[in-house]
């Protein structure tokens, strides 16, 4: 990753946002200067130096590798301010006070070069106020670059242009943030709250307001205003807890202060006395004593009992319900069948249905009311919500899914006016030939707009027809995406969490047979694949259908083996989590083009089984190629799998041999994954030949004793459970010949041993209990 736009970058302000921005710049391979105030005394670290400690300890990690912190130089505003004269981009991320920011800009103007760009990370203050006292030469080089927290993981950058900001400055900032920092750049007008927070925070406030009005429990409101609406599973109250209730109150107050009179936000932005009482008593969310959720004295999740509470004092807590609302169950069933979930949650006369109708009516109406004053195109608002708040669909996509006639009914029930943008029955998104178009505020359809080289397959697939599909996956033909590279096959998983089933692997197998000139495994979901569907295995175990498990694993192995030896290049292009069976698919690809936030690993031991789709075999081979010793390969594979180790970035996955440096590659912007995968297939085609069958040997039988002693000592210390040893030694048995022959092995032999090992463990009660616990409790049903 290299930077061709800026040579010297500085961030002023080492708080959560400033340090996160500096970390992402360092992740991109750039050096960055991080400045803040001086230390309080000689025995205290400066705020900037302390920020590095927080980055190194952050979870999830803000740094893709801890050594990236070495690219961050710290200093103080008092002693190191003159170093800013060498910078060509300075990001201001100081306290959200207009007077402080203005004073800083005046100091900067006396020091920085005539070409230096300055941008602010403000989330609320308009440019016209920030630079109203500054000369034109400064205003021309000033913009707002509003990042979202955590900076490494949140894809949105709101880029705000002032009246005097030059086009060159905006282009440089947009290009660098896109290509080097991996951001989806949404260009915003200089209006209060910009786009993301204005709609996103309004949606949260409406969710709380309607939950109280409709008499819904905290957990029921989150279950409905989460996955069924395509919003992260935290829902409303869970997200409040995650961000920090006190911080959310500050954000709401700020928006209340800056939004114009008459804005609908003011209705839901008033002080909530219950929330005020929570903060006063230390219930500020996950970082405090708890929030709307907390762990009770019984160790279980408890929720604040809002139903019937009149406000003022702190309501009591009670054990959270595990059962999902009926409408949420219906929505999940619809999703599993690739049907529209929204129609399920707005049906009927229950308080749950009323809640969903009113939330959707109010939120979607508010988003539509921002056309054209805030932006001319619905795409900007949809992109802001998908990239900045992790919505699966933006407000205007949701409106299209509900349908305009039904939408009018929701608006009437919610008691809100129908915005001009919703006065017309035409959809906001429409396919015109092979192009996706968007209805703008002027009612004209214009092309869906993305920077050159960016492909969002979730949107592009609307213009395409798969050649084969089922409920879990689809197979597409790719033509015309790159010059001279045509007739490719793309496999897209699209089940819940992209959990792999027989149906998923049918599409993989079909792609290997009808392979065209190359195959790409890619999808646009939050996670590439969470692994094989554990529900299927629990059903097999409950029926004691061991032949069924063997047949399932055999079909999985046959599919990935065909993929590996297909006579055309096969590229895996993952983003998000690629765990268990999801990684096993990637392990059989020729090369990976991975997003820099990809998490890879074989985690089956955590639920008491072993990788059964070639994962042990492929990891064993990779470690042998790295160590040139079958015993070292077996030991390292055993440690990887036994600890269910994952790498939180491709760079860290390389330590586990899950990402092969020098062969595989990374892309900072996940929207550029598919473009790079397509061009890579083209680069490989001329001289490509399928891999030959590998030479394999079993590791020395004596290694079993060392492994057994290691596990026994861990059990005695309390580090492992007895069943952990059973699982670990079963993994070892796949790579080590128990007869002591230590002879040659074949891929088929290891495939067979994986299946046998999996079934052996599946027959144990401990493994059944672990799988059930994961499905019933460990897999987050609500929060």
């Amino acid at each position: 990753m290299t930077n061709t736009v800026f040579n010297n970058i500085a961030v002023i302000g080492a708080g959560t946002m400033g340090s996160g921005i500096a970390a992402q710049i360092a992740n991109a391979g750039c050096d960055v200067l991080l400045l803040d105030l001086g230390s309080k005394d000689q025995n205290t670290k400066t705020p900037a130096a302390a920020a590095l400690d927080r980055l190194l300890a952050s979870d999830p990690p803000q740094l893709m590798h801890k050594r990236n912190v070495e690219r961050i130089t710290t200093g103080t505003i008092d002693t190191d301010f003159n170093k800013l004269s060498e910078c060509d981009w300075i990001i201001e991320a100081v306290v959200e006070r207009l007077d402080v920011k203005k004073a800083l800009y005046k100091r900067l103007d006396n020091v920085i070069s005539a070409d230096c760009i300055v941008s602010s990370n403000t989330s609320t203050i308009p440019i016209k106020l920030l630079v109203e006292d500054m000369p034109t030469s400064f205003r021309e080089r000033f913009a707002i670059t509003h990042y979202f927290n955590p900076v490494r993981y949140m894809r949105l950058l709101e880029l705000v242009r002032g009246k005097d900001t030059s086009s060159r400055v905006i282009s440089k900032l947009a290009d660098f943030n896109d290509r080097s920092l991996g951001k989806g750049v949404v260009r915003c007008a200089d209006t209060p709250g910009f786009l993301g927070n204005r709609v996103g925070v309004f949606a949260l406030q409406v969710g709380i307001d309607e939950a109280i009005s409709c008499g819904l429990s905290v957990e029921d409101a989150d279950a409905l205003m989460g996955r069924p609406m395509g919003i992260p599973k935290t829902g409303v109250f869970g997200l409040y807890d995650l961000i920090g209730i006190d911080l959310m109150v500050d954000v709401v107050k700020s928006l209340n202060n800056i939004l114009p009179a008459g804005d609908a936000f003011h209705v839901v932005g008033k002080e909530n006395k219950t929330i005020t009482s929570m903060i006063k008593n230390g219930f500020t969310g996950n970082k405090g004593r708890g929030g709307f959720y907390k762990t009770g004295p019984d160790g279980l999740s408890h929720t604040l009992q809002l139903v019937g509470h009149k406000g003022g004092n702190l309501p009591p807590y009670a054990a959270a319900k595990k059962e999902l609302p009926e409408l949420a169950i219906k929505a999940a069933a619809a999703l599993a069948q690739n049907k529209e979930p929204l129609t399920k949650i707005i049906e009927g006369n229950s308080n749950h249905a009323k809640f969903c109708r009113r939330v959707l009516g109010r939120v979607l109406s508010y988003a539509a009311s921002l056309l054209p004053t805030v932006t001319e195109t619905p795409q900007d608002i949809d992109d802001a919500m998908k990239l900045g708040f992790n919505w699966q669909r933006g407000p205007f996509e949701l409106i299209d899914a509900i349908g305009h006639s039904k939408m009018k009914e929701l608006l009437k029930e919610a008691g809100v006016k129908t915005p001009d943008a919703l006065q017309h029955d035409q959809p906001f998104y429409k396919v015109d030939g092979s192009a996706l178009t968007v209805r703008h505020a002027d009612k004209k359809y214009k092309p869906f707009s993305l920077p050159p080289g960016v492909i969002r397959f979730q949107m592009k697939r609307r213009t395409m027809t798969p050649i084969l599909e089922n409920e879990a996956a689809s197979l597409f033909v790719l033509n015309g995406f790159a010059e001279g590279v045509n007739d490719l096959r793309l496999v897209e998983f699209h089940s819940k969490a992209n959990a792999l089933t027989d149906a998923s692997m049918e599409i993989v197998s079909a792609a290997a047979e009808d392979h065209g000139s190359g195959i790409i495994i890619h999808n646009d979901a939050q996670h590439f694949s969470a692994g094989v569907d554990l529900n299927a295995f629990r059903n097999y175990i409950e029926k004691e259908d061991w032949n069924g498990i063997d047949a399932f694993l055999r079909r999985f192995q046959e599919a990935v083996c065909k993929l590996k030896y297909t006579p055309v290049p096969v590229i895996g292009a993952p983003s998000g989590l690629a765990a268990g069976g999801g990684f096993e698919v990637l392990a059989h690809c020729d090369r990976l083009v991975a997003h820099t936030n990809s998490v890879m690993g074989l985690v089956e031991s955590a639920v008491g089984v072993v990788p059964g789709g070639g994962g042990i075999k492929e990891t064993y081979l990779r470690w042998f190629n790295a160590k040139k010793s079958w015993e070292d390969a077996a030991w390292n594979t055993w440690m990887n799998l036994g600890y269910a180790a994952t790498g939180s970035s491709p760079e860290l996955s390389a330590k586990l041999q899950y990402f092969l440096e020098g062969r595989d590659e990374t892309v900072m912007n996940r929207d550029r994954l598919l473009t790079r995968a397509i061009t890579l297939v083209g680069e490989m085609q001329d001289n490509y030949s399928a891999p030959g069958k590998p030479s394999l040997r079993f590791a020395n039988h004596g290694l079993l004793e060392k492994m057994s002693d290691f596990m026994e000592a861990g059990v005695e210390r309390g580090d492992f459970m007895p069943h952990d040893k059973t699982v670990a030694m079963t993994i070892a048995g796949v790579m080590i010949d128990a007869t002591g022959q230590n002879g040659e092995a074949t891929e088929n032999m290891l495939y067979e041993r994986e299946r046998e090992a999996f079934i052996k463990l599946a027959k144990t009660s401990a493994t059944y209990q672990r799988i059930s616990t994961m499905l019933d409790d460990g897999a987050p049903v609500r929060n």
Side-chain angles (χ1 to χ4, degrees):
M1 292 173 284
T2 58
N3 164 34
T4 58
V5 178
F6 296 106
N7 297 311
N8 293 288
I9 305 173
V11 178
I12 304 177
T16 299
M17 290 305 301
S19 60
I21 295 166
Q24 187 67 354
I25 292 168
N27 287 335
C30 305
D31 294 331
V32 58
L33 174 65
L34 179 62
L35 300 183
D36 206 307
L37 300 173
S39 58
K40 294 180 179 179
D41 55 63
Q42 292 182 342
N43 298 319
T44 305
K45 286 187 175 182
T46 66
L52 299 193
D53 294 337
R54 294 198 308 273
L55 289 176
L56 290 169
S58 58
D59 184 21
Q62 293 269 33
L63 296 164
M64 294 175 186
H65 194 291
K66 288 189 175 183
R67 65 169 171 261
N68 291 351
V69 79
E70 297 169 7
R71 299 192 181 110
I72 305 175
T73 301
T74 63
T76 71
I77 294 173
D78 291 334
T79 60
D80 299 290
F81 204 80
N82 285 339
K83 292 180 180 178
L84 299 173
S85 64
E86 303 171 0
C87 294
D88 48 9
W89 181 27
I90 297 170
I91 304 121
E92 169 269 300
V94 302
V95 63
E96 197 78 338
R97 280 178 46 187
L98 183 59
D99 59 331
V100 173
K101 294 178 185 291
K102 282 186 171 185
L104 176 61
Y105 301 155
K106 288 182 178 179
R107 283 191 67 186
L108 284 173
D109 197 35
N110 293 327
V111 172
I112 61 176
S113 70
D115 296 324
C116 178
I117 293 172
V118 178
S119 67
S120 173
N121 185 57
T122 181
S123 60
T124 55
I125 305 174
I127 286 184
K128 61 184 177 183
L129 295 180
L130 290 173
V131 296
E132 62 184 353
D133 302 328
M134 301 303 295
T136 301
S137 60
F138 186 92
R139 296 199 303 267
E140 289 173 344
R141 295 176 283 124
F142 188 89
I144 289 174
T145 48
H146 178 219
Y147 298 89
F148 282 65
N149 186 46
V151 180
R152 174 183 168 187
Y153 299 97
M154 300 308 295
R155 299 166 61 198
L156 177 62
L157 171 77
E158 292 182 320
L159 180 58
V160 184
R161 179 177 188 171
K163 183 180 67 173
D164 298 309
T165 312
S166 79
S167 299
R168 180 189 64 85
V169 166
I170 293 297
S171 295
K172 286 187 69 173
L173 289 172
D175 187 66
F176 178 78
N177 277 280
D178 168 359
R179 296 176 185 273
S180 296
L181 299 191
K183 299 302 173 186
V185 179
V186 174
R187 304 189 187 199
C188 302
D190 189 23
T191 56
F194 315 132
L195 285 177
N197 279 343
R198 188 161 179 182
V199 177
V201 177
F202 178 82
L204 294 177
Q205 295 304 108
V206 168
I208 293 174
D209 186 52
E210 290 296 345
I212 294 171
S213 298
C214 297
L216 266 64
S217 67
V218 164
E219 56 268 45
D220 281 354
D222 280 353
L224 292 167
M225 197 175 165
R227 284 176 171 146
M229 293 189 189
I231 294 172
K233 62 180 181 290
T234 50
V236 181
F237 297 102
L239 184 56
Y240 246 75
D241 282 358
L242 180 65
I243 294 172
I245 295 172
D246 53 339
L247 294 178
M248 280 302 308
V249 167
D250 288 342
V251 172
V252 171
K253 285 180 180 177
S254 179
L255 287 168
N256 251 334
N257 290 335
I258 63 171
L259 289 172
D263 192 279
F265 189 92
H266 295 299
V267 176
V268 293
K270 299 174 183 177
E271 179 187 2
N272 182 305
K273 293 182 179 180
T274 297
I275 290 177
T276 301
S277 179
M278 292 172 68
I279 296 171
K280 182 178 179 181
N281 288 279
F283 291 92
T284 55
N286 297 351
K287 66 180 181 179
R289 299 174 61 190
F292 292 104
Y293 294 84
K294 76 167 188 174
T295 302
D298 54 4
L300 301 176
S301 176
H302 285 226
T303 56
L304 205 63
Q305 301 300 292
L306 297 178
V307 178
H309 182 68
K310 300 302 181 182
N313 59 327
L314 189 68
Y317 285 88
K321 294 183 294 184
K322 287 188 176 182
E323 300 80 13
L324 289 171
E326 181 183 357
L327 295 183
I329 295 172
K330 289 182 177 179
L335 280 169
Q337 299 171 28
N338 288 330
K339 295 180 179 179
E340 181 54 58
L342 293 179
T343 58
K344 303 300 181 183
I345 62 174
I346 60 177
E347 292 176 347
N349 299 316
S350 68
N351 283 350
H352 289 160
K354 178 182 177 183
F355 167 81
C356 293
R357 290 194 297 268
R358 289 182 60 82
V359 165
L360 288 168
R362 293 173 72 181
V363 172
L364 300 183
S365 168
Y366 186 72
S369 73
L370 302 182
L371 299 175
T373 55
V374 174
T375 178
E376 289 287 334
T377 171
Q379 184 188 337
D380 284 344
I381 297 174
D382 283 352
D383 284 353
M385 298 314 300
K386 290 188 289 186
L387 300 175
F389 282 77
N390 280 336
W391 288 21
Q392 291 179 11
R393 293 182 288 187
F396 295 92
E397 293 173 87
L398 293 173
I399 292 170
D400 282 353
I402 292 170
H404 284 254
S405 60
K406 189 67 177 179
M407 194 66 220
K408 290 177 181 177
E409 295 178 17
L410 300 189
L411 300 183
K412 183 177 180 180
E413 181 174 351
V416 295
K417 294 181 180 179
T418 302
D420 182 64
L422 296 181
Q423 296 284 356
H424 311 277
D425 294 335
Q426 294 87 358
F428 286 101
Y429 292 88
K430 184 175 73 173
V431 176
D432 184 2
S434 62
L436 181 64
T437 62
V438 188
R439 176 162 65 89
H440 285 223
D442 62 5
K443 304 177 183 58
K444 295 179 180 178
Y445 283 95
K446 300 173 185 178
F448 184 78
S449 178
L450 292 172
V454 166
I455 302 173
R456 291 183 188 152
F457 193 71
Q458 177 195 31
M459 304 303 290
K460 183 62 182 176
R461 75 189 308 278
R462 296 187 182 198
T463 69
M464 304 171 67
T465 301
I467 58 173
L468 187 65
E469 69 176 335
N470 56 38
E471 70 276 9
S474 298
L475 181 62
F476 293 87
V477 175
L478 301 183
N479 285 310
F481 286 86
E483 186 176 353
V485 186
N486 292 301
D487 196 31
L488 303 185
R489 301 294 181 267
L490 183 140
V491 174
E492 178 200 34
F493 301 137
H494 47 65
S495 59
K496 181 181 177 181
N498 286 334
L500 303 180
T501 63
D502 259 332
S504 312
M505 302 316 292
E506 284 176 11
I507 300 297
V508 172
S509 181
E513 293 171 1
D514 178 22
H515 48 67
S517 66
I519 301 172
I520 296 171
I521 319 284
H522 172 73
N523 63 73
D524 243 357
Q526 184 177 3
H527 297 300
F528 175 79
S529 172
V532 171
D533 183 8
L534 287 177
N535 285 292
F537 285 124
R538 180 161 69 173
N539 291 336
Y540 283 129
I541 293 170
E542 289 173 345
K543 296 175 182 177
E544 297 187 359
D545 185 1
W546 316 122
N547 289 333
I549 292 179
D550 184 73
F552 176 92
L553 293 176
R554 188 185 297 272
R555 289 190 294 271
F556 191 108
Q557 292 173 347
E558 288 172 350
V560 293
C561 190
K562 282 197 293 185
L563 192 70
K564 181 176 180 176
Y565 294 111
T566 300
V568 295
V570 180
I571 306 297
S575 60
L577 180 66
F583 176 73
E584 287 177 304
V585 172
L586 295 177
H588 289 79
C589 295
D590 289 305
R591 294 175 69 174
L592 301 184
V593 177
H595 183 229
T596 44
N597 286 344
S598 298
V599 177
M600 304 180 205
L602 295 167
V603 297
E604 287 84 350
S605 66
V607 292
V609 292
V610 304
I616 299 177
K617 168 196 54 107
E618 288 297 318
T619 308
Y620 185 42
L621 269 170
R622 289 170 178 222
W623 273 116
F624 175 76
N625 291 333
K627 296 291 187 179
K628 306 305 180 187
S629 160
W630 291 113
E631 286 65 45
D632 287 345
W635 179 264
N636 282 283
T637 300
W638 187 69
M639 294 296 281
N640 277 18
L641 275 54
Y643 280 109
T646 60
S648 60
S649 69
E651 198 170 5
L652 294 175
S653 294
K655 293 183 175 182
L656 305 170
Q657 297 300 312
Y658 294 149
F659 181 86
L660 300 182
E661 292 180 324
R663 187 202 77 164
D664 301 331
E665 57 186 83
T666 60
V667 174
M668 282 290 279
N669 190 333
R670 63 179 288 172
D671 290 335
R672 294 184 177 275
L673 276 177
L674 184 53
T675 298
R676 176 55 192 150
I678 292 169
T679 56
L680 181 58
V681 170
E683 293 168 8
M684 295 174 64
Q685 282 175 336
D686 288 344
N687 301 311
Y688 182 80
S689 59
K693 295 283 185 177
S695 297
L696 285 156
R697 296 190 68 85
F698 290 113
N700 190 291
H701 180 264
L703 194 57
L704 282 174
E705 184 177 356
K706 178 183 176 182
M707 292 174 170
S708 180
D709 290 346
F710 179 91
M711 292 304 302
E712 191 60 37
V715 171
E716 291 179 3
R717 290 192 307 269
D719 296 342
F720 306 130
M721 301 293 290
H723 192 58
D724 292 328
K725 181 180 179 181
T726 301
V727 174
M729 298 314 295
T730 305
I731 294 171
V734 174
M735 301 173 286
I736 300 173
D737 192 341
T739 65
Q741 296 302 307
N742 308 325
E744 292 185 0
T746 65
E747 279 192 296
N748 286 338
M749 291 171 68
L750 289 182
Y751 277 136
E752 183 177 359
R753 284 189 172 208
E754 287 184 13
R755 297 198 307 275
E756 292 172 349
F758 193 106
I759 294 169
K760 173 185 174 182
L761 291 169
K763 290 180 177 180
T764 65
S765 60
T767 286
Y768 175 74
Q769 183 60 44
R770 289 189 181 188
I771 290 174
S772 296
T773 299
M774 173 63 74
L775 290 173
D776 297 337
D777 299 320
V781 175
R782 294 185 176 279
N783 186 34

